[in-house]
Amino acid sequence: MRGPEDALIVIDVQNDFCPGGRLAVTGGDEIVGGINALMDEFSVVVLTQDWHPAGHSSFASTHGAEPFSMTQMPYGPQVLWPDHCIQGSEGAAFHPDLRTDPAQMIVRKGFRSEVDSYSAFFENDHVTPTGLGGYLTARGVKRLTVVGLALDYCVNFSAVDGAKLGFEVTVQQGLCRAIADDSLAEAMNGMAAAGVSVNG
């Protein structure tokens, strides 16, 4: 068991991001068993959950646009996604095999209709906090291990923001899956530049 200064952050292991979901990540369900086992090593475990209202501003359907096209939001460029992880839906639920009992905190993000939220720490405006940073600091956490979905988006943004907040961050790549090769390459470069360690 790792000490109280270490936390495991499990990003968005939800039905809509797993095979059969509305925004499925290839192999997204393959990491669940490994994440469950890893939880036993940590006394501090946090899960994050994408939690969008219907008609969210990041949904392509809201704009009458094609999924995966880009638009400009007040906070910057935004990918327009297929409708996914709508509050209370089966798609927003955690993967049924994911252990949730070890988690002391579940962070729901993306619930503000006007701004998307990739990071576990900040909305996509990079200003509005989720409260996770304060929680971890209050718990005395200094080191984060980040796993989950998707490596090139929510895992990436969470890891980089964690490092910016002063945490020592490691991404366990074997317990993540990515959406696309090009965005993964960009994410890996960004994480390295932020001082995030990527292993396994």
Side-chain angles (χ1 to χ4, degrees), residues 37-77:
L38 189 60
M39 288 183 190
D40 290 333
E41 297 183 21
F42 289 85
S43 58
V44 182
V45 177
V46 175
L47 308 180
T48 73
Q49 191 175 23
D50 235 20
W51 198 248
H52 296 306
H56 193 271
S57 60
S58 70
F59 292 168
S61 62
T62 302
H63 302 267
E66 286 295 313
F68 308 107
S69 60
M70 297 292 296
T71 192
Q72 192 69 24
M73 296 291 196
Y75 51 84

Side-chain angles (χ1 to χ4, degrees), residues 2 61 99 137:
R2 306 190 200 195
S61 62
R99 293 171 61 196
T137 299

Side-chain angles (χ1 to χ4, degrees), residues 11 21 33 42 49 60 62 65 85 90 115 164 168 188 195:
I11 305 292
F42 289 85
Q49 191 175 23
T62 302
C85 295
E90 185 63 25
V115 58
K164 287 179 180 176
E168 182 182 323
M188 296 295 274

